[in-house]
Amino acid sequence: MPSAQCEPVTGLVLSGGGARAAYQVGVLAAIAELLPDGAQNPFPVIVGTSAGAINAVGLACGALRFCEAIQSLTRVWQGFRTGQVYRADWSGVVSQALRFIGHSLLGLGKRQPVALLDSGPLRHLLEREMDFSGISAAVRQRHLRAVAVTAFGYESGQAVTFYQGRATIEPWLRHRRLGVPTRLKLEHLLASSAIPLLFAPIKVLREYFGDGAVRQQAPISPALHLGANRVLVIGVSGNPVNGDPNAPVAQPQTGLPPTLAQVGIHLLNSTFIDSLEGDIEQIERLNQIGRLMPDDVRRKVQGLAPVEVLVVSPSRPLDEIAAQYRHELPRSLRLFLRGPGATRASGAGVLSYLLFEPGYCNELIRLGYHDAMQKRAELERFLGLDGQEEMPS
């Protein structure tokens, strides 16, 4: 991690979570509204994982016109349909399910990556919407220091952060995680957002990669390696943050065995949420330890430079919102997911990751906007909009 720097360098961390990433767009829309007219990109370092990687690269591609880039992201998410991300028609769902059973369970056919859902439409969408040349232009004109996406290597077992930025940024190697400089392409985004089993892994160079949230022990760390010393984290946790975090969560006890959807949501939450929340807690503990040490000692110990972290995350449970909009899911997928229990209220957590439909996505955008505005004073202070400090560069 970088040592303390005189000049603040602000990083933006966008976590993963499938359709939940619509929430991030609402927060970003609020930030765009708070910025003065003609303001430059306030986040020199942008880092994303899974669906957050798509949002992160979308911002980086338009970093020269930051507010317009947010408007473009908002437009895409407001008009989302499930069929734009993965095939939701009857023939597509049935043929993919048969292909998955034949290939993965019966061992039939050639050795090629197969998953439960066909994410071919997402490739076409990103090809149409992303202009990767904008990243190089933003870095060259110093509107962007670096942008990074993280993917998980199925053979190496490492969380690999692919980053594009200034030539002065050194690669890094830590336990099961490393940073690799590259020119970001479509394959990096598809790999980072390939949720295991649901979406097929993507080959990058000589290895197949999947969702970067898998085994990503320190989601904030890439932003620090890229030079950030203060970080805005937009999370997609389904747990409200306004109450006591140590208070027990009341759950109805039915005595029934868990459905496949209930098992799946715990696996998804452990992948997308737990590491991020644990990393935030660790940074806060290190900040506390650093404050107890004399300045000369703290400067000599790597990793104790203070890191300011501001978190914006949902104030309402996202699985409850998904349950309200489960009727929007195409009929073919409702039938496909009914058996595992994902269409029941108890399995709505799975839908919260897969429900790429206008009603649900727009509700999350509104929630993100609302939650950001509830933290307006904190965001204005963090971004230097309160007149007390200059905009970070």
Side-chain angles (χ1 to χ4, degrees):
M1 295 183 185
S3 59
Q5 302 177 31
C6 295
E7 185 180 5
V9 178
T10 305
L12 174 66
V13 175
L14 302 175
S15 61
R20 292 182 173 211
Y23 176 85
Q24 298 169 351
V25 177
V27 176
L28 291 169
I31 291 174
E33 188 172 308
L34 296 178
L35 293 174
D37 293 340
Q40 295 184 1
N41 168 30
F43 304 108
V45 174
I46 304 176
V47 175
T49 304
S50 191
I54 295 175
N55 287 340
V57 172
L59 288 179
C61 289
L64 292 178
R65 296 179 177 85
F66 184 73
C67 291
E68 291 182 18
I70 293 176
Q71 292 173 358
S72 179
L73 273 178
T74 304
R75 172 184 55 79
V76 172
W77 278 96
Q78 286 178 333
F80 249 141
R81 293 285 183 181
T82 299
Q84 294 177 287
V85 181
Y86 54 90
R87 288 194 62 178
D89 57 290
W90 282 102
S91 62
V93 170
V94 173
S95 62
Q96 188 68 15
L98 293 176
R99 190 178 299 115
F100 179 83
I101 293 172
H103 181 275
S104 301
L105 301 183
L106 302 179
L108 303 176
K110 300 178 181 179
R111 289 194 62 182
Q112 58 183 4
V114 177
L116 285 169
L117 300 172
D118 180 357
S119 59
L122 178 60
R123 175 183 287 272
H124 299 315
L125 175 68
L126 295 179
E127 285 177 340
R128 185 174 68 249
E129 296 291 339
M130 293 288 185
D131 179 10
F132 289 90
S133 65
I135 298 176
S136 298
V139 172
R140 187 168 56 251
Q141 298 184 37
R142 306 186 74 83
H143 286 248
L144 184 70
R145 178 181 174 86
V147 57
V149 303
T150 300
F152 169 74
Y154 279 100
E155 288 191 71
S156 64
Q158 293 178 318
V160 180
T161 298
F162 299 99
Y163 68 90
Q164 182 174 346
R166 297 180 188 174
T168 55
I169 299 175
E170 294 290 334
W172 63 89
L173 175 63
R174 298 292 185 269
H175 177 64
R176 292 200 177 277
R177 52 191 174 94
L178 69 155
V180 177
T182 189
R183 183 176 291 272
L184 292 178
K185 299 178 181 178
L186 181 61
E187 281 68 27
H188 297 106
L189 295 189
L190 293 172
S192 182
S193 57
I195 301 175
L197 296 181
L198 294 178
F199 301 130
I202 302 296
K203 194 171 187 179
V204 179
L205 299 178
R206 292 176 295 179
E207 185 176 7
Y208 279 95
F209 286 86
D211 198 297
V214 177
R215 302 188 72 174
Q216 189 181 32
Q217 301 172 353
I220 299 176
S221 177
L224 306 183
H225 282 293
L226 295 172
N229 50 24
R230 55 205 306 275
V231 180
L232 172 64
V233 178
I234 306 180
V236 292
S237 169
N239 303 314
V241 297
N242 295 332
D244 181 1
N246 299 314
V249 180
Q251 294 288 350
Q253 304 297 318
T254 64
L256 298 175
T259 64
L260 187 59
Q262 286 175 295
V263 173
I265 189 55
H266 286 293
L267 293 175
L268 288 170
N269 285 344
S270 67
T271 298
F272 290 107
I273 296 173
D274 293 351
S275 294
L276 177 61
E277 295 181 347
D279 200 21
I280 293 171
E281 289 182 2
Q282 179 157 333
I283 289 176
E284 291 175 348
R285 286 196 296 269
L286 290 174
N287 284 342
Q288 292 173 356
I289 294 173
R291 283 193 289 268
L292 296 175
M293 289 187 172
D295 291 343
D296 57 336
V297 176
R298 185 172 63 243
R299 283 192 292 268
K300 296 177 182 178
V301 180
Q302 186 179 16
L304 287 184
V307 178
E308 181 183 3
V309 179
L310 177 61
V311 181
V312 181
S313 59
S315 58
R316 293 174 54 196
L318 301 190
D319 52 352
E320 291 183 6
I321 299 175
Q324 298 172 7
Y325 291 95
R326 60 176 178 261
H327 64 277
E328 289 190 340
L329 199 68
R331 291 182 59 190
S332 56
L333 286 169
R334 289 207 301 270
L335 178 63
F336 183 67
L337 296 173
R338 185 172 61 186
T343 55
R344 306 175 197 169
S346 60
V350 172
L351 289 186
S352 71
Y353 289 90
L354 297 176
L355 191 54
F356 293 90
E357 293 292 333
Y360 176 64
C361 289
N362 279 278
E363 185 70 20
L364 294 196
I365 291 172
R366 287 191 291 269
L367 179 63
Y369 179 88
H370 170 269
D371 290 346
M373 285 303 183
Q374 289 294 106
K375 289 195 169 188
R376 177 171 184 162
E378 294 177 70
L379 283 169
E380 288 180 336
R381 180 199 58 76
F382 187 85
L383 296 174
L385 304 176
D386 57 359
Q388 297 179 4
E389 57 181 276
E390 294 183 0
M391 180 76 71
S393 58

